[in-house]
Each structure stands twice: as structure tokens, then as C-alpha cells.
Amino acid sequence: SDASHENNYNVIASIKKRYPALELWVDAGISNNNELSLWHELNIRLIIGSENFAQISNFTSLNTQEKNYILSLDFMSLGYQGPTELPTNTEYWPQDLIVMSLNNVGANQGVNIDLLRNTIERANGFNLIAAGGVRDIDDLIMLKKMGLNAALLATALHQKQISTEQFESIKY
């Protein structure tokens, strides 16, 4: 895995060098301060995934004082993965928070509305980003009405289920 880690790092470093104004969001599977400081050198937005931490002390030991990172609360088929305090205690949250429903990723079955609603209840003042299950423009409009600030999507783009005109019409 060191070789692939190195390759990903080099590829991302070259993209950042070629397009310095581009804001890259990268989930590098960071679980400790050595990895954190390595990736910080690239001047990218790091995504820190809850699944990479067994206990809250592992998470809080990261040197993330500037809080420019994005926290991803990771939900799998077996439920939430990570320290139990993270999804419920907002004092651990940075400004930007991804609600990742991996069951919905690539499934083209829609978003996990219950999971998102549950998080929205305690997320006043935070930027919530939905991940997993966005099928079309109607899903994006629904997420916007629910109060989400953004959505991560790939399958709907690859399968051309959302057009450029539709994107421009919604203006997040």
C-alpha cells in the first residue's frame, strides 16, 4: 500500500502544481499526525474520515487546530463507523461535514434521507455535504430544500443523468 499511497500523493501533487487555484478535496485515509503533515504540504482540503479512528482520543490527537479540514461521518451497511462521539457531539466538528452513506454510493437508489435529517437536527451553523445516492436534479433540489449546502456525486454525472444546464439552474 505504500507504493499506491506514494503514487496517489505524486499524482495529486502534480495536479495541484499544474492547477494551483483548483481547490482539491482529498480523502487520503489519514489516521495519524505523520500522514497529516505529509498531505498538508500540498495545500489541499483534507477529508478526515471517521472510519479511520477506533476511539475519540485517536481523532483528537490529530493536529487539526486550524479546522480547515472536512470531516466525513462514514456510514456503512453495518451502520456508523468511527468513534461514537463524532456524529453526536458537534464540538468535534469543523465547519464542513460530509454525511457519507456508503450503501448509497453508486447504487442509483437515492439518498439516505433519514440519516441526513438526523444529522441536520444538530448541524445548525455547519455546512453539510451529502454523499451517496444522488440520482438527478430532483435529488439535488430536495437536498437544497432540506438545508444541505452541497452534495458529492459521480454516478449521476458519469451516466449523464444531470445536465450542465440543470446544474447551472440550481446554483448552490
Side-chain angles (χ1 to χ4, degrees), residues 127-167:
N127 297 323
L128 281 191
I129 303 153
V134 173
R135 296 166 293 195
D136 53 30
I137 193 69
D138 294 334
D139 284 345
L140 288 178
I141 291 167
M142 178 194 63
L143 291 171
K144 189 174 184 181
K145 284 181 181 164
M146 283 174 69
L148 278 102
N149 300 79
L152 302 181
L153 52 126
T155 304
L157 289 176
H158 298 313
Q159 297 181 0
K160 296 180 172 52
Q161 292 162 215
I162 300 177
S163 70
T164 307
E165 294 75 28
Q166 287 175 319
F167 265 127

